[in-house]
Amino acid sequence: MFMRIDHIGIACRDLEEKIELFSRLFDLEVVAREVNEEQGVKEAMLHIADGEGGGSYIQLLEPLSDDSPVGKFLAKRGEGVHHVAFGVPDVADAMSKIGEKGVRLLDERPRHGSMGSQIAFLHPKDVGGMLTELVQAAKR
Ligand code: V0V
Ligand code: CO
């Protein structure tokens, strides 16, 4: 079902500071930046590699407000890994297959994600404490 790890999402208080840190430590390049109002984030994608159906990235996330998912996460747990996103060929198909296994879907339908992708989230409590994102990358 999963083709690759699409990205690891990292919750940050200061996006510019963490972009500087990750670029300097690991020689990674920012390939996209976006404000996603629906998800309540300002984010940057740092490219790692290309794989089947899309690339692999580090996604740095700064909250747009304290009551957004990342804002609440920072208040509760501080900065660090927020979610793991897996690349799938068809996000709607993956949602229905995983939903049938009793995992709570946090989205009723796919949402707009970074770089034109289609995304959906699974409840962390049903996935061993890991907030899980499904990503169907935009066609290249
Ligand atoms: C919350 N919990 C987590 C968690 N966030 N566990 C693991 N990883 C996380 N990131 C735990 C939390 O500690 C609670 O456990 C329990 O889940 C319920 O959390 P809560 O704080 O009471 O509830 P909320 O209101 O914070 O909701 C949590 C969920 C919410 C996961 C439901 O954050 C959500 O809907 N997230 C999906 C959307 C999202 O995260 N968007 C931002 C990334 P205890 O303490 O009760 O044991 S946007 C993105 O990735 C984009 C745009 C992209 O990739 O393109
Ligand atoms: Co993400």
Side-chain angles (χ1 to χ4, degrees):
M1 182 179 294
F2 295 160
M3 299 187 289
R4 63 183 197 289
I5 291 177
D6 184 284
H7 63 268
I8 308 285
I10 315 276
C12 309
R13 294 192 200 281
D14 183 331
L15 183 65
E16 299 310 321
E17 182 192 289
K18 291 305 180 297
I19 288 174
E20 195 279 323
L21 178 71
F22 277 77
S23 325
R24 184 166 53 79
L25 292 181
F26 306 130
D27 275 336
L28 300 176
E29 214 178 303
V30 175
V31 290
R33 280 171 182 263
E34 190 169 324
V35 172
N36 187 325
E37 299 277 354
E38 185 181 39
Q39 298 293 336
V41 293
K42 182 163 97 174
E43 52 99 351
M45 297 293 267
L46 281 68
H47 180 255
I48 296 174
D50 287 312
E52 195 190 340
S56 293
Y57 307 87
I58 294 284
Q59 180 176 59
L60 300 176
L61 302 155
E62 184 188 302
L64 294 178
S65 68
D66 291 345
D67 63 354
S68 62
V70 175
K72 286 165 86 174
F73 180 90
L74 282 173
K76 216 166 180 177
R77 303 197 184 192
E79 295 186 305
V81 175
H82 177 258
H83 65 269
V84 176
F86 295 96
V88 295
D90 182 321
V91 70
D93 183 57
M95 287 168 80
S96 78
K97 285 185 178 143
I98 297 166
E100 276 169 17
K101 297 183 191 183
V103 171
R104 279 167 287 170
L105 306 174
L106 295 172
D107 301 288
E108 281 165 30
R109 55 183 169 76
R111 309 281 174 185
H112 166 80
S114 190
M115 302 189 296
S117 62
Q118 301 251 84
I119 62 173
F121 287 89
L122 310 177
H123 201 292
K125 292 290 172 195
D126 295 343
V127 192
M130 174 177 77
L131 176 58
T132 304
E133 179 184 341
L134 307 172
V135 182
Q136 180 182 338
K139 292 222 168 17
R140 282 182 283 189

